[in-house]
Amino acid sequence: MKIHNRWFQLVASLIAMIMIANLQYAWTLFVEPMRKSTGWKLSDIQWAFTLFILFQTWVQPAQGWLIDRLGRARSSRSPACCAAWAGPGSAT
């Protein structure tokens, strides 16, 4: 399925970024409970978050290359399976 409507692509991209941005903007809600339950220092948690943002940002060119090479459907299967597998596991 090819979608050439630029407005649809813009809205879809915006929705995807909103879903991802929740991790970036709401992470402070989880820092204190994570620190208390694990005993980690605040700087350790901040370092992990920094690595998350760096990897999320710098992997995008490789992801674009992979999508161009494999196509959208094939390149989306693995992340979809990982997300489906992680969802129930993170609820416990």
Side-chain angles (χ1 to χ4, degrees):
M1 175 170 93
K2 292 190 178 201
I3 299 174
H4 297 288
N5 185 339
R6 286 187 247 167
W7 286 105
F8 177 81
Q9 291 176 352
L10 177 65
V11 170
S13 299
L14 181 66
I15 290 170
M17 287 307 299
I18 288 171
M19 291 173 17
I20 292 169
N22 288 332
L23 296 173
Q24 295 176 359
Y25 296 118
W27 80 279
T28 57
L29 299 173
F30 304 105
V31 170
E32 193 59 29
M34 187 184 305
R35 191 181 65 76
K36 286 181 180 176
S37 67
T38 62
W40 297 339
K41 297 183 295 188
L42 180 60
S43 61
D44 295 337
I45 296 171
Q46 289 173 331
W47 179 243
F49 181 72
T50 300
L51 289 175
F52 164 71
I53 295 299
L54 287 174
F55 288 130
Q56 180 186 10
T57 302
W58 292 103
V59 78
Q60 296 309 313
Q63 182 180 7
W65 175 82
L66 190 64
I67 290 170
D68 287 345
R69 183 166 167 93
L70 298 177
R72 290 181 301 198
R74 286 179 58 198
S75 62
S76 299
R77 283 187 196 121
S78 177
C81 290
C82 290
W85 178 70
S90 64
T92 57

